[in-house]
């Protein structure tokens, strides 16, 4: 690295300064620096200290690898880049000197990018993958100069890594549908986009899952069209066979129970039709009594407990309850006979009990049924859902997730984690048990405050002034630090007391901002009146 004459030999003793920093200034990483932190006796000393600080950050925060400008910003060390430019230093020169690599390449023009890519690709003897291009920033450079990688690869090698669907479809017009059929048959149902991606990756197909979906879209195919063509149930639905000629798709496992019980009694029924021309509401099941009068069955199966794990579910619950009330009013207005089954009807492990209750409800509404016939669990939940798992495997999958999380994980959290497969496998193989019951069997209890319900202030919360006084005693300076403390990620602090909320803005109407909660003044993005460094932080 070449430097101006007045800056030569500035690296003398850098290693000693790094050792000094690790002893004296470790607690200042990510903190607001005191006035004059970068200014030393001479310019050379300031440069020496700045580079030593940067190398120290690379060592303790990035496993002795160079840090990008974005990473420095996330660490609260964006001032490092400012002082590099202030002293006329180039970060890439320092990275090349100390690490043998740079974090960002300056792309000159279109020809330079093509030449650089061609040399690197020819050296490997194949087109570069996207991950390899991202390491050098080539992807953004290609976008910036409108360079098509597929065209460039064909000029260099005569082929591209991108799968050529047009060529394969010219050879076989049904090639695209055959690939879909193979994936759909593997799952036994309509897979999600994420499952298609995982399948293509695990099976090492020449195309990716996203590439397959793009090929479908370009040829005006919808995923729902494929589902109908193959006769596979949509995701999170169940295909129930009524007779050799007819099957229906229902939306929940309790509806599978209802269908199989109606079939066992030899009853004919309709599924999801219009209740009345005046309102666009659909009934669940429609049967006919002894005199030919219609009898409707409605399953209002919203499980309120499942909706309590996340704030975003509150609107869904409210909308569902509103629609439930409107449908009940419509049945009452037209004077129809209605059998209502709620979400608690199928709870519990006694399958004979709810079958007898359902049989009694049918008889009370003048529906001609024969002798009571109890079904075993296998026949009761008989449907095509296509899970390759068994009961033990579904338990084991949930156990691994709970063990990794170290606590109970609700259905809503599993959904946000993308583990709908575990939720549905539990429902299929443990149909009379919720996620919570299976988790309790595995030794995990629901420790969420107030049973996981949100929006309510438990009686156990401290008063606002007392809770704020405790929060201020921590000497934290940002919301980011407060959240890290609540998650137990800050070293040197005891765990957060249970009677203080994680998000005080949701439970205290007196809350007026995180700066007031933590006790610092925030003006134009800068924090004034810094707190004294605690003894615990000095000992880190």
């Amino acid at each position: 690295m070449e430097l101006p004459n007045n800056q030569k030999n500035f690296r003398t003793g850098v290693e000693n300064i790094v050792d000094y920093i690790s002893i004296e200034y470790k607690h200042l990483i990510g903190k607001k620096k005191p006035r004059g932190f970068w200014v030393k006796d001479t310019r050379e000393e300031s440069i020496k200290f700045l580079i030593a600080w940067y190398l120290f950050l690379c060592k303790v925060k990035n496993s002795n690898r160079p840090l990008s400008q974005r990473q420095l910003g996330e660490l609260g060390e964006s001032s490092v880049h400012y002082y590099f430019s202030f002293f006329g230093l180039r970060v890439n020169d320092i990275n090349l000197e100390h690490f043998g690599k740079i974090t960002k390449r300056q792309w000159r023009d279109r020809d330079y990018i093509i030449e650089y890519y061609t040399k690197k690709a020819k050296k490997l003897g194949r087109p570069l993958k996207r991950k390899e291009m991202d390491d050098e920033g080539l992807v953004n450079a290609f976008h910036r100069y409108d360079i098509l990688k597929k065209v460039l690869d064909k000029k260099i090698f005569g082929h591209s890594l991108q799968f050529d669907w047009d060529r394969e479809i010219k050879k076989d017009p049904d090639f695209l549908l055959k690939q879909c059929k193979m994936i759909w048959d593997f799952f036994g149902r309509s897979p999600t986009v994420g499952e298609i991606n995982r399948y293509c990756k695990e099976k090492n197909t020449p195309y990716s899952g996203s590439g397959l979906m793009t090929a479908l879209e370009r040829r005006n195919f919808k995923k729902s069209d494929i589902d109908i063509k193959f006769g596979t149930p949509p995701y999170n639905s169940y295909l129930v066979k009524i007779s050799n000629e007819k099957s229906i798709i229902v939306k929940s496992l309790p509806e599978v129970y209802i269908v199989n019980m109606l079939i066992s009694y030899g009853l004919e029924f309709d599924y999801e039709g219009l209740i009345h021309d005046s309102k666009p509401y659909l009934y669940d099941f429609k049967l006919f009594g002894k005199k030919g009068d219609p009898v409707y069955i409605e399953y209002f199966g919203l499980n309120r407990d499942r909706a309590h794990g996340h704030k975003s579910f509150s609107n869904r619950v409210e909308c569902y309850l509103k629609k439930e009330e409107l449908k009940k009013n419509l049945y009452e207005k037209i004077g129809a006979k209605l059998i209502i089954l709620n979400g608690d009807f199928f709870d519990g492990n006694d399958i004979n009990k709810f079958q007898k209750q359902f049989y009694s409800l049918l008889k009370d509404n003048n529906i001609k049924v024969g002798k009571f016939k109890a079904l075993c669990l296998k026949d009761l939940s008989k449907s095509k859902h296509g899970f390759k798992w068994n009961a033990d495997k579904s338990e084991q999958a949930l156990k691994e997730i709970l063990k990794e999380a170290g606590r109970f994980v609700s259905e809503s959290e599993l959904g946000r984690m993308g583990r709908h497969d575990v939720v549905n496998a539990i429902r299929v193989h443990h149909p009379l048990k919720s996620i919570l019951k299976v988790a309790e069997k595995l030794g995990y209890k629901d420790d969420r405050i107030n049973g996981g319900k949100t929006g309510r202030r438990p009686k156990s919360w401290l008063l606002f002034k007392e809770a704020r006084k405790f929060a201020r005693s921590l000497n934290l300076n940002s919301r980011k630090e407060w959240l890290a403390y609540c998650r137990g990620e800050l070293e040197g602090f005891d765990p957060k007391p249970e009677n203080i909320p994680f998000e005080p803005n949701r439970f205290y109407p007196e809350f007026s901002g995180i700066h007031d909660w933590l006790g610092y003044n925030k003006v134009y993005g800068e924090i004034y009146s810094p707190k004294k460094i605690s003894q615990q932080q000095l000992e880190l």
Side-chain angles (χ1 to χ4, degrees):
M1 179 176 64
E2 294 186 7
L3 296 168
N5 291 330
N6 62 344
Q7 294 181 18
K8 286 188 176 179
N9 300 323
F10 76 97
R11 288 186 62 243
T12 305
V14 165
E15 292 78 9
N16 294 333
I17 294 179
V18 169
D19 293 337
Y20 174 72
I21 288 172
S22 65
I23 297 169
E24 295 293 328
Y25 296 113
K26 184 174 182 179
H27 61 276
L28 286 176
I29 294 177
K31 305 287 184 182
K32 183 175 174 62
K33 304 298 183 292
R35 187 182 296 275
F37 182 74
W38 302 108
V39 181
K40 304 305 174 188
D41 294 338
T42 63
R43 181 183 177 85
E44 289 185 1
E45 288 293 326
S46 298
I47 292 173
K48 195 189 307 181
F49 184 79
L50 175 63
I51 292 179
W53 180 262
Y54 173 72
L55 295 176
F56 174 63
L57 289 175
C58 295
K59 179 180 178 182
V60 299
K61 288 295 181 181
N62 206 26
S63 303
N64 213 24
R65 297 193 303 270
L67 286 161
S68 66
Q69 188 170 354
R70 178 180 60 81
Q71 290 172 318
L72 285 170
E74 290 174 352
L75 290 172
E77 297 289 342
S78 52
S79 59
V80 172
H81 257 274
Y82 168 78
Y83 279 98
F84 270 127
S85 59
F86 179 80
F87 287 116
L89 300 172
R90 292 174 58 185
V91 181
N92 284 345
D93 291 339
I94 295 167
N95 288 337
L96 197 61
E97 175 77 19
H98 290 276
F99 304 105
K101 60 189 291 189
I102 60 177
T103 56
K104 187 177 180 182
R105 179 178 292 275
Q106 300 295 329
W107 303 104
R108 301 170 192 164
D109 52 36
R110 181 187 176 91
D111 294 334
Y112 173 74
I113 296 167
I114 293 174
E115 182 184 356
Y116 178 84
Y117 177 84
T118 304
K119 284 182 180 179
K120 188 164 185 178
K122 282 185 175 179
K123 189 175 181 181
L124 290 173
R126 59 169 175 79
L128 296 178
K129 296 179 181 178
R130 187 180 179 88
K131 289 182 179 178
E132 295 168 334
M133 293 175 66
D134 278 341
D135 290 343
E136 300 288 342
L138 270 172
V139 173
N140 292 332
F142 271 43
H143 286 309
R144 192 180 305 129
Y145 291 95
D146 296 324
I147 302 170
L148 294 175
K149 181 178 178 298
K150 183 179 178 180
V151 175
L152 187 59
D153 287 337
K154 283 188 176 181
K155 284 184 178 179
I156 300 171
F157 299 100
H159 70 278
S160 173
L161 290 177
Q162 187 174 344
F163 189 74
D164 195 340
W165 288 99
D166 293 331
R167 183 184 63 185
E168 297 298 329
I169 290 173
K170 281 181 181 178
K171 294 179 183 177
D172 182 3
D174 296 329
F175 178 79
L176 186 59
L177 290 177
K178 285 179 181 178
Q179 302 306 308
C180 292
K181 179 71 173 170
M182 180 174 63
I183 298 172
W184 264 247
D185 285 346
F186 175 80
F187 288 100
R189 58 177 169 82
S190 173
T192 63
V193 176
E195 287 173 335
I196 294 172
N197 283 326
R198 287 197 296 271
Y199 173 87
C200 294
K201 188 175 181 180
E202 291 171 3
K203 299 295 182 180
N204 198 23
T205 58
Y207 52 84
S208 64
S210 55
L212 175 63
M213 299 308 295
T214 303
L216 287 171
E217 289 173 5
R218 286 179 178 172
R219 288 154 186 84
N220 297 322
F221 275 108
K222 293 181 181 177
K223 190 168 172 292
S224 57
D225 296 335
I226 303 292
D227 298 339
I228 294 169
K229 185 176 180 64
F230 295 156
T232 51
Y235 176 69
N236 202 18
S237 298
Y238 305 81
L239 184 68
V240 184
K241 193 175 182 181
I242 297 176
S243 63
N244 293 332
E245 298 82 20
K246 187 178 179 182
S247 298
I248 62 170
I249 294 174
V250 297
K251 298 176 181 176
S252 65
L253 198 59
E255 288 187 352
V256 175
Y257 300 161
I258 295 171
V259 172
N260 285 323
M261 285 190 289
L262 293 176
I263 294 171
S264 69
Y265 300 139
L267 298 174
E268 293 185 2
F269 60 91
D270 295 328
Y271 180 70
E272 286 200 337
L274 199 63
I275 299 173
H276 196 266
D277 296 337
S278 61
K279 296 286 183 181
Y281 295 139
L282 302 177
Y283 56 75
D284 287 341
F285 299 93
K286 181 181 179 181
L287 300 87
F288 293 93
K290 294 177 181 178
K291 296 181 180 180
D293 51 328
V295 179
Y296 298 92
I297 299 176
E298 281 289 343
Y299 174 67
F300 297 120
L302 177 69
N303 190 324
R304 278 71 174 173
D305 292 336
R306 289 175 187 160
H308 286 150
H310 197 260
K311 189 177 181 180
S312 62
F313 283 84
S314 58
N315 291 333
R316 288 175 55 185
V317 174
E318 187 177 344
C319 291
Y320 189 94
L321 294 175
K322 187 177 179 180
K323 187 178 178 181
E324 181 180 319
E325 192 63 31
L326 289 171
K327 287 181 80 173
K328 287 179 181 178
N329 292 337
L330 180 59
Y331 281 118
E332 187 177 349
K333 185 178 179 180
I334 65 175
K337 290 184 179 180
L338 177 63
I339 298 174
I340 296 177
L341 306 177
N342 57 33
D344 300 327
F345 186 79
F346 296 102
D347 282 355
N349 294 318
D350 191 350
I351 61 175
N352 288 331
K353 183 178 178 181
F354 68 72
Q355 288 187 76
K356 287 178 180 177
Q357 290 176 347
F358 185 71
Y359 179 80
S360 300
L361 288 171
L362 294 177
K363 288 195 74 174
D364 293 343
N365 285 274
N366 294 323
I367 296 175
K368 190 177 180 180
V369 289
K371 190 177 179 181
F372 172 73
K373 181 182 178 182
L375 299 175
C376 64
L377 181 59
K378 184 179 179 181
D379 293 333
L380 192 66
S381 58
K382 189 176 181 181
S383 67
K384 182 182 178 183
H385 201 287
F387 277 104
K388 306 295 181 184
W389 296 5
N390 55 27
D392 293 336
K393 187 176 178 182
S394 60
E395 274 191 25
Q396 183 62 29
L398 180 62
K399 185 177 181 180
E400 290 173 0
I401 294 171
L402 297 175
K403 186 177 179 181
E404 185 176 349
R407 58 181 178 81
F408 169 73
V409 179
S410 65
E411 286 192 14
S412 57
E413 289 177 294
L414 287 168
R416 293 194 295 277
M417 290 162 58
R419 297 312 305 267
H420 299 281
D421 54 342
V422 175
V423 176
N424 288 325
I426 295 290
R427 289 178 184 172
V428 170
H429 297 298
H430 302 277
L432 300 176
K433 294 181 181 179
S434 64
I435 291 285
L436 178 57
K437 289 180 181 177
V438 178
E440 286 177 347
K441 178 186 173 184
L442 298 171
Y444 293 86
K445 292 183 179 180
D446 186 359
D447 295 328
R448 293 175 296 170
I449 296 172
N450 208 19
K453 298 179 182 180
T454 59
R456 296 184 183 180
R457 177 178 174 178
K459 295 178 182 178
S460 57
W461 291 142
L462 278 178
L463 293 174
F464 174 72
K465 289 185 178 180
E466 295 178 9
R468 185 176 63 177
K469 183 179 179 181
F470 172 81
R472 288 180 174 182
S473 68
L474 300 172
N475 293 325
L476 303 178
N477 289 324
S478 68
R479 176 179 174 79
K480 186 176 180 181
E481 289 185 6
W482 167 254
L483 295 177
Y485 163 72
C486 292
R487 291 192 295 264
E489 296 174 359
L490 287 184
E491 296 181 3
F493 290 91
D494 294 330
K496 180 183 75 66
E498 293 183 358
N499 56 359
I500 294 179
F502 187 91
E503 296 180 341
N505 57 307
R506 287 173 50 198
F507 299 101
Y508 293 121
E510 306 96 330
F511 185 84
S512 60
I514 195 67
H515 60 284
D516 175 68
W517 176 256
L518 297 178
Y520 66 87
N521 295 321
K522 189 174 183 181
V523 182
Y524 302 112
E526 295 187 9
I527 300 173
Y528 294 93
S529 303
K531 307 296 179 185
K532 293 182 180 179
I533 298 167
S534 65
Q535 185 64 32
Q536 291 173 327
Q537 291 174 316
L538 287 171
E539 292 173 357
L540 291 180

